[in-house]
Amino acid sequence: MNILANPRKLRGFEQFVRPIKVEKVSRRSMLKALGIAGGFVLAAPVMSRPAFAAYQTGADKMPHGTVVDPRVFVAIAPDGIVTIVAHRAEMGTGVRTSLPLIVAEEMDADWSRVRVQQAHGDEVKYGNQDTDGSRSTRHYLLPMRQIGASARTMLEQAAAKRWGVPVTEVKAVNHEVLHDASGRRIGFGDLAADAGKEQVPAIDSLKLKDPKNFRYLGKGEIGIVDLHDITTGKAGYGADVRLPGMKYAVIARPPVTGGKLGSFDSADAMKVSGVEKVMEVKGWPWPSKFQPLGGVAVIARNTGAAIKGRDALKVTWDDGANGKYDSVAYRAMLEDAARKPGLVVRKEGDVDAALKSADRVIVGEYYLPHLAHVSMEPPAAVADVKGDRAEIWAPVQSPGGTREDVAKTLGIPEDNVTINMTLLGGGFGRKSKCDFALEAALLSKELNAPVKVQWTREDDVRHDFLHTVSVERIEAGLDKNGKVIAWRHRSVAPSIASTFAAGTVHQAPFELGMGLIDMPFEIANIQCENPEAAAHTRIGWFRSVSNIPRAFAVQSMVGELAHVTNRDQKEMLLELIGSPRIVDLSSVKDPWNYGEPYSSYPIDTARLRRVVELVADKGGWGRSVPKGHGLGIAVHRSFVSYIATIVEVAVDEKGKLTVPQVDTAIDCGTYVNPERIQSQIEGAAIMGLSLAKYGEITFKDGKVQQKNLDDFPLLRIDEAPLVTNVHIVPPGPDTPPSGVGEPGVPPFAPALINAIFAATGKRIRALPIGKQLET
Amino acid sequence: MIKLKINGQEHSWDGDPNLSLLWFLRDEAGLTGTKYGCGVALCGACTVIVDKEAARACITSVSDVVGREVTTIEGLHATGDHPVQKAWRQLNVPQCGFCQVGQIMQAAALLMENPKPSHDQIREAMSGNLCRCGCYQRIENAIHLASMGV
């Protein structure tokens, strides 16, 4: 079949077929560029200050805040090559391209003469580098523009001085500074030495480019800088680092969280060809943030031998207090807790009275199990510890935090720790936790040699920092006219905070703020509660975090309410969202709001309504579909972006589910690279479908029951939606940028579940779908 | 002593003959383009071409490929301009990129066997290659594009 013969395939295809200029970035040329004297001086004093101008962000509340200094981020070599530092972690969002692109835009640099240099983990120098929470563009669009504008101003000042003309008469255009009056021009490379001597302009004095004149931003025409290397196998991930004399290690870890090593017998392991040593690895008592679990390491000349050696180990474990963790019993306990009053975290009106007076009360109880991240690259790290110095190569989302933790773990000063950021073969929150790098550091110190620690897929599935497990229970009271007058939402789940502090039984503000207390519906009586739940394993951030169960519950309930009141899902949704307004969260003690000031990033129901209308319009809401097909819709604001999704599902007589079409509308404010937004949203549909169909980690006797991709399956290409369309809301003037990496996931599952209901009349309230549709 | 031919070059190995080709490639031969994803042929990240067929290096031992021609991503095309690689770049397929080498090798093997695969044939042939970022729509489009010789 020719692709062009199929109009369905053609959609969303034509726009990809455009020539993308691929610039190969050679590490050597970058280093050379940076090493050349006379360019910008890189060892600059740190100038940390708040981002300013049209909007405020939470960037400066992050550890180490924001650094706005062109001497830290930009180097220009005499040959004109501009090197721009990428200080955030690249895990597939394209941030390693888009942040430097912002600098290049404001400098008016020619992208083909720009090289990207990955920063080390050094937050004092670069500002916060913790790449999670869908924050990079949101926090760095303005600072990167300011850095680029500073560099441009310094180049213009240097040119003006050289020509003896007022700086107002010159301007930077495409890698040169021009003086129109005399027709003189000079390249960035020729100006580099002089520009480096110019004073860095005050931020308040900077003139930012008029967005009308943007060459790169908002266009989506620049391919990611690693594209060529990725397609040729040269891209360097954590496990690809090789050092002379390096040893290969795999570790047997306690199967129960909080368990300890009993005894081990290494005799058989040592007989395996290539195995060199078997040794104990220090573990920390649970909870201990990201510290290693401990266990027994097998050291070998290659990873294959290390794995074989580990298979031959005889180990006993003391399971400890979590040895009774059982997912079936735990679910029953969560359900029980959700049926009783809990800590009130939002209260408007009188929900008890309103439910009592309601004509009808609809109750929905929704269950979402633990999920494992399972990035395609299992955790791996290389460490080279020599005396009181450590160098680490690792795919970490938080290189600054990793540096801190390595220093603490080894008892050496942070200044003595170098964190080299490799590419991440997927992160999804797993690689926010640097336990694997700490293991490598401990082993390297003991062995006095460079060590690579490779997690096998089994290790990854069994020892993850899992997505929490939750019951969300919603009671909605309707009056005689079918209007919702009361809404009680109880959310019970072990908190991520339990990984940091023993005895945690309530969710933290950052979890409550993900779709519970920030619920945007216009209802007179609202109460949100958080009953207690204790953790029995390591809980961590998983892409979109608590928004996944919350959007699943809230948006499924909208579908249920539409059904019982005999209304169209979309109409029901818009009625609940209510009038265009800024949602008043004054009744909430800590609204969190993704760490952003509410003044810049309020919950704006006009924007929520707009994505619903846009996706309904573009996605053909209400279109007639074949028998056995159904349409479902859901909307959710997360990471301060607004996203609505329509899923068309087809369920055959046997209950086999396929997805012919997905449409998603996203309003993420001002954006940098719409092509990468599109790819993130396409991917979010796959992840959403994957977790809805299959995602489930269960425990028995304290141990994870799954081990690899056979019993924790991920969606495959033959099950992928036939077409996924992405519709991006054009930003209004000065709309602050908001998140993209995560917000695509939460609305997918409820849109799918609502579609399944439309197709089959079956309401699924527990994920994964698994065999629930089978007949 | 085992002799192997990888990307046209001779390699020798005097260790465990049952060592998987994956770890030989990555740790002994330094060819790190081939990725480890699961170790049990469930994800396709380690896909290489043995003679003219796609194979999962993780469940292939070094002794299995004696006397055969192993091609890894490093040997797919001298300048990285195999039609599949070009199509991949033209459509900006990768996100994190980790699985892409395996995807590209599988796609290259598919096109060798079937130069004009249908939608269903692509989906079937690629169903052993997982992508957690979810680049599937673009993978499929890129294979179509490569098969069209655009």
Side-chain angles (χ1 to χ4, degrees):
Chain A
M1 184 182 71
N2 186 319
I3 186 171
L4 297 172
N6 182 345
R8 171 162 255 169
K9 292 275 349 114
L10 190 61
R11 217 176 328 158
F13 176 76
E14 227 172 9
Q15 56 188 307
F16 299 140
V17 187
R18 67 166 78 92
I20 296 275
K21 199 166 186 182
V22 180
E23 294 306 324
K24 218 174 129 193
V25 183
S26 132
R27 189 173 148 74
R28 203 177 309 133
S29 77
M30 292 192 309
L31 293 176
K32 207 172 133 203
L34 285 170
I36 284 168
F40 279 123
V41 183
L42 282 178
V46 169
M47 188 171 66
S48 184
R49 55 155 300 156
F52 83 112
Y55 59 90
Q56 297 283 331
T57 73
D60 288 295
K61 286 197 203 138
M62 299 297 295
H64 300 104
T66 311
V67 171
V68 178
D69 189 336
R71 294 166 301 183
V72 172
F73 284 91
V74 181
I76 306 174
D79 65 357
I81 293 295
V82 171
T83 300
I84 302 176
V85 170
H87 72 300
R88 310 280 285 182
E90 180 59 84
M91 64 193 103
T93 62
V95 71
R96 209 169 103 80
T97 304
S98 43
L99 293 187
L101 192 68
I102 300 166
V103 176
E105 177 73 79
E106 279 291 347
M107 281 181 75
D108 230 286
D110 168 10
W111 187 247
S112 72
R113 283 180 273 175
V114 171
R115 303 293 177 261
V116 172
Q117 155 106 351
Q118 188 67 44
H120 289 151
D122 187 346
E123 294 196 340
V124 173
K125 185 172 178 182
Y126 300 107
N128 186 270
Q129 296 178 277
D130 186 3
T131 315
D132 70 2
S134 301
R135 280 190 294 253
S136 291
T137 303
R138 175 164 118 224
H139 283 178
Y140 283 95
L141 176 59
L142 196 53
M144 289 293 142
R145 290 187 67 186
Q146 290 162 344
I147 288 165
S150 289
R152 187 216 320 129
T153 305
M154 291 160 80
L155 287 159
E156 288 172 345
Q157 283 168 354
K161 266 189 201 158
R162 189 174 298 187
W163 292 328
V165 299
V167 73
T168 48
E169 288 183 13
V170 306
K171 65 172 181 199
V173 178
N174 194 27
H175 233 80
E176 293 180 313
V177 178
L178 311 182
H179 182 242
D180 277 345
S182 64
R184 280 177 290 190
R185 52 176 58 205
I186 182 166
F188 282 5
D190 292 329
L191 284 169
D194 287 355
K197 290 176 205 139
E198 288 292 320
Q199 237 186 345
V200 176
I203 291 179
D204 298 346
S205 72
L206 293 172
K207 240 184 114 183
L208 299 182
K209 235 177 170 179
D210 185 332
K212 276 204 311 273
N213 300 325
F214 282 161
R215 307 164 67 193
Y216 304 123
L217 299 198
K219 312 276 190 225
E221 288 162 2
I222 299 295
I224 54 172
V225 292
D226 299 301
L227 190 54
H228 199 278
D229 282 351
I230 286 171
T231 57
T232 51
K234 294 191 186 97
Y237 299 86
D240 297 335
V241 174
R242 292 162 53 83
L243 300 178
M246 188 175 80
K247 307 289 183 194
Y248 295 79
V250 297
I251 299 172
R253 299 174 186 81
V256 176
T257 304
K260 283 191 301 210
L261 178 64
S263 61
F264 69 96
D265 173 355
S266 61
D268 289 346
M270 288 302 295
K271 287 181 203 150
V272 172
S273 167
V275 169
E276 294 171 0
K277 196 177 167 81
V278 175
M279 60 198 279
E280 190 176 337
V281 191
K282 187 181 172 190
W284 272 252
W286 174 77
S288 62
K289 198 182 142 191
F290 310 144
Q291 293 307 116
L293 295 167
V296 183
V298 177
I299 316 296
R301 66 164 287 168
N302 61 53
T303 315
I307 292 171
K308 215 178 257 187
R310 186 178 67 176
D311 290 344
L313 274 181
K314 292 188 184 76
V315 191
T316 63
W317 307 100
D318 293 332
D319 288 345
N322 291 324
K324 292 196 180 81
Y325 188 32
D326 180 293
S327 290
V328 175
Y330 195 76
R331 177 176 175 177
M333 203 204 71
L334 289 178
E335 285 167 349
D336 191 47
R339 290 166 197 163
K340 292 172 190 156
L343 180 69
V344 176
V345 289
R346 179 178 174 186
K347 182 176 168 63
E348 280 148 41
D350 185 341
V351 93
D352 285 317
L355 284 171
K356 212 169 273 177
S357 73
D359 183 55
R360 274 202 282 183
V361 176
I362 308 301
V363 182
E365 209 170 84
Y366 306 93
Y367 176 73
L368 192 95
H370 284 303
L371 301 170
H373 298 80
V374 187
S375 52
M376 288 312 300
E377 175 197 37
V382 171
D384 189 9
V385 180
K386 288 195 180 88
D388 66 350
R389 309 197 75 84
E391 186 160 11
I392 309 287
W393 291 258
V396 283
Q397 289 176 240
S398 177
T402 304
R403 190 184 195 202
E404 208 172 283
D405 289 351
V406 169
K408 267 189 211 150
T409 302
L410 296 179
I412 59 176
E414 237 183 276
D415 282 347
N416 290 7
V417 179
T418 303
I419 306 292
N420 300 282
M421 296 169 72
T422 66
L423 291 176
L424 281 65
F428 313 119
R430 170 63 182 91
K431 291 169 185 165
S432 296
K433 298 91 172 171
C434 61
D435 53 336
F436 50 99
L438 301 177
E439 289 173 340
L442 286 168
L443 289 176
S444 175
K445 186 183 175 182
E446 287 287 311
L447 292 165
N448 200 25
V451 175
K452 178 187 293 179
V453 169
Q454 174 70 57
W455 282 46
T456 63
R457 179 61 68 198
E458 290 82 359
D459 298 339
D460 182 42
V461 170
R462 287 174 177 155
H463 303 294
D464 197 357
F465 291 79
L466 295 168
H467 174 73
T468 193
V469 48
S470 57
V471 169
E472 308 281 332
R473 180 186 166 92
I474 297 174
E475 296 159 75
L478 299 156
D479 70 11
K480 275 189 208 122
N481 304 318
K483 185 178 163 57
V484 179
I485 54 164
W487 181 276
R488 172 155 48 213
H489 183 164
R490 289 198 191 113
S491 173
V492 207
S495 170
I496 290 168
S498 66
T499 295
F500 297 80
T504 304
V505 290
H506 285 294
Q507 296 180 66
F510 72 83
E511 292 162 315
L512 301 172
M514 293 189 182
L516 181 68
I517 55 172
D518 51 335
M519 196 281 297
F521 296 160
E522 200 167 31
I523 298 171
N525 303 286
I526 296 174
Q527 187 156 310
C528 301
E529 300 172 28
N530 174 221
E532 295 184 359
H536 300 289
T537 187
R538 301 196 296 183
I539 310 291
W541 298 268
F542 175 100
R543 186 184 189 181
S544 316
V545 201
S546 305
N547 288 296
I548 300 172
R550 303 277 170 55
F552 169 51
V554 171
Q555 297 295 309
S556 292
M557 178 49 92
V558 175
E560 303 214 30
L561 291 168
H563 173 65
V564 299
T565 59
N566 200 23
R567 266 178 291 182
D568 174 77
Q569 282 176 48
K570 180 202 150 199
E571 294 313 315
M572 185 78 228
L573 185 53
L574 289 175
E575 182 184 304
L576 283 164
I577 294 170
S579 55
R581 69 198 188 285
I582 301 300
V583 173
D584 178 6
L585 283 184
S586 56
S587 72
V588 175
K589 201 166 103 195
D590 182 356
W592 184 59
N593 200 37
Y594 299 88
E596 303 302 336
Y598 205 67
S599 50
S600 306
Y601 291 95
I603 301 173
D604 181 345
T605 57
R607 293 177 74 184
L608 205 58
R609 294 179 68 95
R610 190 189 306 146
V611 289
V612 172
E613 297 286 9
L614 180 68
V615 79
D617 176 34
K618 299 279 184 187
W621 179 253
R623 68 177 182 266
S624 70
V625 292
K627 191 171 177 296
H629 289 226
L631 296 176
I633 190 166
V635 68
H636 191 68
R637 171 188 181 268
S638 66
F639 305 91
V640 293
S641 283
Y642 302 80
I643 311 230
T645 293
I646 293 175
V647 173
E648 180 185 344
V649 77
V651 183
D652 72 13
E653 323 78 63
K654 290 187 179 149
K656 186 172 181 277
L657 171 165
T658 51
V659 177
Q661 186 170 329
V662 178
D663 286 88
T664 293
I666 173 168
D667 176 355
C668 56
T670 299
Y671 52 75
V672 172
N673 188 348
E675 188 277 328
R676 285 293 96 179
I677 296 172
Q678 192 168 345
S679 65
Q680 284 298 296
I681 302 303
E682 288 165 5
I686 301 294
M687 187 168 264
L689 185 52
S690 198
L691 73 88
K693 267 180 103 164
Y694 301 123
E696 182 167 35
I697 292 287
T698 55
F699 284 81
K700 192 163 172 54
D701 300 327
K703 302 180 184 80
V704 171
Q705 290 180 285
Q706 293 71 26
K707 60 187 183 311
N708 207 313
L709 299 165
D710 47 355
D711 44 15
F712 187 77
L714 304 180
L715 200 81
R716 294 178 181 274
I717 195 169
D718 54 348
E719 310 162 277
L722 290 181
V723 63
T724 300
N725 300 309
V726 181
H727 315 284
I728 304 173
V729 175
D734 303 324
T735 319
S738 50
V740 172
E742 293 167 271
V745 175
F748 188 91
L752 173 72
I753 295 306
N754 287 334
I756 289 172
F757 184 78
T760 65
K762 283 185 194 161
R763 172 60 61 183
I764 288 178
R765 296 193 182 88
L767 293 181
I769 296 165
K771 294 179 176 170
Q772 294 179 69
L773 291 174
E774 284 182 15
T775 49
Chain B
M1 179 78 80
I2 286 178
K3 296 260 187 226
L4 299 169
K5 200 169 178 195
I6 302 164
N7 302 326
Q9 291 195 334
E10 294 276 345
H11 292 256
S12 56
W13 171 240
D14 58 4
D16 180 2
N18 294 320
L19 178 66
S20 85
L21 178 60
L22 170 66
W23 299 119
F24 179 80
L25 290 172
R26 290 185 53 80
D27 297 348
E28 300 291 346
L31 296 167
T32 55
T34 305
K35 304 302 183 201
Y36 165 74
C38 71
V40 286
L42 290 166
C43 79
C46 66
T47 304
V48 296
I49 296 175
V50 177
D51 293 335
K52 294 201 162 176
E53 270 177 56
R56 309 292 186 223
C58 70
I59 54 158
T60 305
S61 73
V62 286
S63 53
D64 288 340
V65 294
V66 171
R68 304 177 75 182
E69 189 88 34
V70 177
T71 307
T72 69
I73 188 75
E74 289 88 351
L76 184 64
H77 187 281
T79 57
D81 290 322
H82 186 282
V84 170
Q85 291 171 308
K86 280 163 58 178
W88 239 252
R89 295 195 287 268
Q90 199 166 352
L91 300 194
N92 288 309
V93 172
Q95 290 183 35
C96 85
F98 190 81
C99 73
Q100 300 294 336
V101 161
Q103 305 272 2
I104 287 169
M105 297 306 285
Q106 182 72 40
L110 167 65
L111 294 179
M112 265 195 280
E113 189 198 328
N114 178 359
K116 296 274 177 205
S118 69
H119 163 87
D120 287 340
Q121 287 168 334
I122 290 176
R123 285 188 158 218
E124 197 198 329
M126 301 304 293
S127 66
N129 291 73
L130 287 171
C131 174
R132 184 60 155 158
C133 298
C135 304
Y136 294 138
Q137 177 164 295
R138 297 189 189 204
I139 287 169
E140 197 182 322
N141 285 339
I143 295 171
H144 277 300
L145 188 65
S147 75
M148 286 153 59
V150 174

